[in-house]
Amino acid sequence: MDKRLSAISDLGKIWVTEAHVLSMYSMVEHGPKIQSHATGLELAMLSGTNSIQFQDHIGLQTELAEETIATAGMEALVVEGLEHIKMLYTFRSVGRAVPVVNDLSIENKYKLDLETFQVLTPQIEKIKRFMEFQERCIAMLLQSMQDLAIKQVRGNNTDRHYNAITKLMDLLQKLDNLKDIKASLTTDFSRYNRVLQVLRMDLPNGDSLAREKHKLQLFLSNFKYSNSLILNNLRDALKRIPNHELVLIDILQQNVEFIENGRYVLLDEKYRLVRSLPRLMLLIDGDLGDSVKSVNVFKDRRISLTPLQSIFRAYPVVPECGDMSMTMLIILQRSPHWDASMEISWGGNADRRIVAHYSLPSQWSRIKLQHQEYMPYLAQTLTEVATYLFKKDTATAKYAAFVSKMVFDGFKLLQSWTCAVLESYHWKLTHPCATAIITKLDKQSNHPYELAIRYNYSPRELGVLVDIISMIKSLTSMLTQAEAHVAPYIRLHIHHKLQQFSAGGLVPPLHRAHKRKRAIINPLLELRRLVSDWPKNIEPITDYIYYSRQDGRVEPTHTARVVGPTFTQLRLLRTMVRAMYDPRNQLRVQFFSKKDLEKEDLQLMDYFYCESLCFQYLLNYTGTLTSNSDLGDLWYREFYLELSGEVQFAIELSLAWILAEHVITDQHKSMPLLENILYTLDTYNDAAHRSISALSQRFLYDEIEAEVNLIFDQIVFLVSDHVYSYYTKMVGLRHVDAPHHERLHPTLKCADVPAAQRYHVPISQRNTHVLGRIIDLNFLIAHHVNGKFYDDLDYCAKKLEASDLSQVLDYQKAIRVVRETHELLDEHLELDPFVKIITTVDEAVGPTAFAGRALMHILACLVTDVFPNYSYNGFTRRFVISSLADIARRRHPSNPSYDHSIFCAPPKHVCENATKLHRSFIGMVHIEAIICTLGVVGIPLLTKSLLQFVKEQLENTLTYLYAIIKGFPPWNYNMMYGPTTCFRHLEAALQNFVHAGVDLRPEVFQAFKEVGNTICFIMDLSNVLDWLSLRGQLCALRFTTFKFPTKTTLNSTLDSTQQFYASFDQLSRGALAHLGELTKSLQTAHILESHIFDLNATRNFYHIWSLLSLSFGLSGHEENHNVLVPDTDLVSDDEQFGHGFFVAGAVLIHFLGQVELFHACDFSSQLTRIKALEVSSPLQITQGAFSTVQFVKTKSNHAKVYNMFFALLRVHAIETTHDHDLNFLPPTSHDLSCGVSNVHIRPTPTT
């Protein structure tokens, strides 16, 4: 038992060890990352808000306790006010959905009113809490203003207090604008008011509800201030506080200074400062009626108008909340002392410079240059940080400062780029597309959101916007992934800087204060003790006492720690530092005079105050990144939904969808955007994140999710289509011949041919994060592309089935393009094997499948079209269509559901022009395409079917051969006849067929033509197969052991060569051997009987074929008196039947062993020889009316054809022997008049 337990324990240790080893491995994707980093769980180093409301300031013991408490109260109201902003911005009317029925009974109507009241009560409670909240905010602001305006308290005014007031005022401004635009508030309240009047007497708290209702009615529909009720109430209340304008002027000047010096990092901080300026000026400006105490904000000397006017001109439109925009001049025009003549100086007419500021194309070059300069340095720094081991010592502080600055520069760049995007977006919202542009586009639209978004962006602007979004998200992704590596350096840097300032930088002022016994020493010691980290927790008391100016700058020694200050420590430290060096702040007068701090001390504090601005943002790393890269505003349209009274817009109006569609459909070499498609989808991630974490509204997330589900399917489809089209285009260009490619080259310069890497980027993504889901984009694209291969091959098969056999060349080129495209895409996508795809489409695999679609179509074309209607030419080895052919019209392929074109437009045009040259005939190139199409499996099936076709045709000709035997009279070979007599004799013999109305062409000649065409096709098929095999073996010859003999005997050379070519010519030999077996059908018909000694007999096949050959090319019409005259007016037999007729006869004669007999006893040859003797004889015989010249010429050409095919058969056919063949000697003497010489006739076996 103990051994078993120990074994189990050891096994457990092994498992734990191996699991630990496996945890060290990370599965890294090989594809490039084109999406911002997404995490399932968000972790932040520091909260972005003061969750404890500065309650820890008590332990820090500073003089700013009262100011800290007041600031904490206002910031708490700001946090609470964000909830009301969420409520108002996402407020949807419930009263519209509640039915209104008037024709009900009293009981049913009372029940409906009660249910309506219960439904609307939560909505009214939200409005009630909002009203009470704004009252508390106004009360808090009035109390702060009253305290700050008092002369004794005014000396303690600080920047932090002013910032809190600015935040609270900006919050009230947003709430005021949201209340004004939300008609849903008044709609629900009106329905609630009507129901409450009916139910008031029946409710237990009906009177209190009626009083609250009256108060809410005054809040929502105030007769005095129809708009901006909250700020107008605040303005009226501030007028009752003396010297309030002094505090507001100080706040205004501080905000202007922060804007000019760029003392902001977050987006909302920048726009909060800008939005506060017109509101503060409105609050400062007095009424026109009170001329004594009234302050004219435009003429007061305490206010510098020049920087204000420059800011108003630079930012005429400012983002406010979501798709809500604020026009600065509209707020300023509400001031009592506003004059219309001041409009131009305050940015009333935006000039080119302002329009360029809000135009993304004008800023694109700057942003792209910043991105190109910053990203390499960031990547190099992050590589160093991740590679080298972090050491917690003071020596690392210098490198930590470099890392921290690098990160903070990234924050600033993100803030700048995102501001450019949002400012351009809100400029478009406030400047919709003009009606003239809509007319030029031939569109009609009055929809405000459609005019502001859909028709307001040019293609270039969309491309620039996508590119800037990709730069924002790529930088955000790198900084997010680097957080774990750079966090120690950031904390080390902040701790080191604080210790350098508190323990070293404050020593000289402390020394002078101690030496001069100034009261400033106590604030300096408080500042020193606020953040100092003393060695062994013991504060040195005498370090500043024994300091000497000759010692110079003090370098304190402190323990290196990876820790930053608390939120309260950092805020108090910066507030106290600014209070000491800022000349406008009166805090320093209370404690010390101007001589207590020297110039270098003030410069040191100013430098530290500016440098410490980044500390809180570096510590709040995640919050800063999220805020500066949030582009969710591009999706939200609650303001325009309320404005148009619609529930939701169509997806075509969504800017995120417009961007994604533009990325896929508009591709230019100057702006490659396809790899930015996932960065564009991050706008949905930002919007969904805001709907859940910030707005806390599930219905918004559901709307985003529904749109993403729709758009993602469209994106996958479009990306798959464009990727597939691109690769087919590239492969199609490869298959354009060089001469045609030169002609196509000018077209290719204009064509948009992007780099292949662009399409490799999106299809290699396997972990795509969309709304918290991980989607394998590679798998989805592979699925769609796989279907495109099936669709295109099916289209090619249908097009082949609807065309003649000459289109097989186009089909094979298309298949080759698809195959090579499959090879290229198979490197990136998991596709079905190409063999499986093409066999499935071809329907060649199955339990009942005999042959594929391509094989059956090729066989049908050969049997029903090529062999009957085409004429074979043995010299060119081509099948040419006859002019008398009746080609069956085939249906055209149906219109495809999408562009099935394998080639793109330029190469398709060239390839069609090239293939037109091969559509008027069937030749070797077509046969090679057939071989490549059918493969090694289809060729035997095709050959077998063709041989069966030959057998059927031969069997059909037996009846006609019997009739010819019976109708043809015995032939007399008496050579004493002259040429005229021989022609007369032949004409008399053929008159039997003419008068009987027998035309051998439609049946007999056509049947033998089809047999001959089939045999020629099989022989050409064999030749092409041999050539392809030879070409393959020659290419592989250097890799084989076979070597051609060089210095050997002739026999060994022949043996080696025969061994090399032994595998060739197998198909033709086998087919001809099978044809030899088919001659047995003629033996059965007794046509084979060889009456060799009876020359007058006509039962021998060579006699029959001699007769057919004689009548071939002669007129067969009854009205023609001279049947031996070749038919020259009509279509000739050579053109109609070609060489296929001769091949059929030559093959049959060859396998019957009657080649020599045919040469000796052929009627046409005999007449040709007689004519030759007549020409050579001194006695010229008059031919009379017979046209023998053309006849002799025609038959001489036929003899050449017979000789050529007999020679081919002797080479290709297998040796055959016949038992009936006899050796005989013809007569030894001859008659000169007959022109017959001694002929030794002996059938020679073929070799």
Side-chain angles (χ1 to χ4, degrees), residues 834-1026:
F834 187 77
V835 176
K836 177 184 176 181
I837 297 176
I838 196 170
T839 51
T840 302
V841 173
D842 195 46
E843 300 176 1
V845 177
T848 59
F850 169 73
R853 296 166 61 184
L855 175 59
M856 297 303 297
H857 174 71
I858 291 174
L859 179 61
C861 286
L862 289 173
V863 173
T864 62
D865 184 17
V866 176
F867 297 157
N869 300 322
Y870 283 68
S871 301
Y872 182 74
N873 191 318
F875 301 105
T876 61
R877 292 189 177 184
R878 290 182 177 181
F879 292 89
V880 182
I881 188 170
S882 174
S883 58
L884 298 179
D886 183 17
I887 303 177
R889 294 184 178 180
R890 296 181 175 86
R891 61 180 179 88
H892 296 285
S894 58
N895 293 328
S897 57
Y898 69 99
D899 188 10
H900 285 275
S901 176
I902 303 301
F903 299 98
C904 60
K908 178 184 177 182
H909 178 69
V910 174
C911 291
E912 285 182 352
N913 292 336
T915 54
K916 282 181 181 178
L917 302 175
H918 301 86
R919 291 180 183 175
S920 60
F921 66 93
I922 304 297
M924 305 299 282
V925 291
H926 300 85
I927 295 177
E928 183 178 355
I930 292 174
I931 294 173
C932 297
T933 301
L934 301 182
V936 295
V937 179
I939 295 301
L941 294 176
L942 178 65
T943 307
K944 181 180 178 181
S945 302
L946 293 180
L947 292 176
Q948 182 65 27
F949 170 72
V950 171
K951 180 179 179 182
E952 294 174 358
Q953 291 297 320
L954 290 177
E955 291 175 354
N956 294 334
T957 58
L958 292 179
T959 304
Y960 296 98
L961 294 179
Y962 286 135
I964 293 173
I965 292 173
K966 294 178 181 180
F968 188 69
W971 180 254
N972 189 357
Y973 283 94
N974 191 346
M975 306 308 297
M976 294 178 61
Y977 295 138
T980 305
T981 307
C982 291
F983 276 91
R984 289 291 186 185
H985 183 71
L986 290 175
E987 183 178 8
L990 295 176
Q991 284 294 338
N992 296 332
F993 296 97
V994 174
H995 292 294
V998 178
D999 189 2
L1000 301 178
R1001 291 174 178 80
E1003 300 295 339
V1004 180
F1005 286 5
Q1006 180 69 21
F1008 282 110
K1009 167 194 173 181
E1010 295 180 14
V1011 172
N1013 285 350
T1014 307
I1015 296 173
C1016 293
F1017 179 82
I1018 294 175
M1019 295 181 68
D1020 289 343
L1021 187 67
S1022 176
N1023 292 334
V1024 175
L1025 279 173
D1026 294 342

Side-chain angles (χ1 to χ4, degrees), residues 251 488 646 945 1163:
I251 298 174
E646 299 182 13
S945 302
F1163 304 142

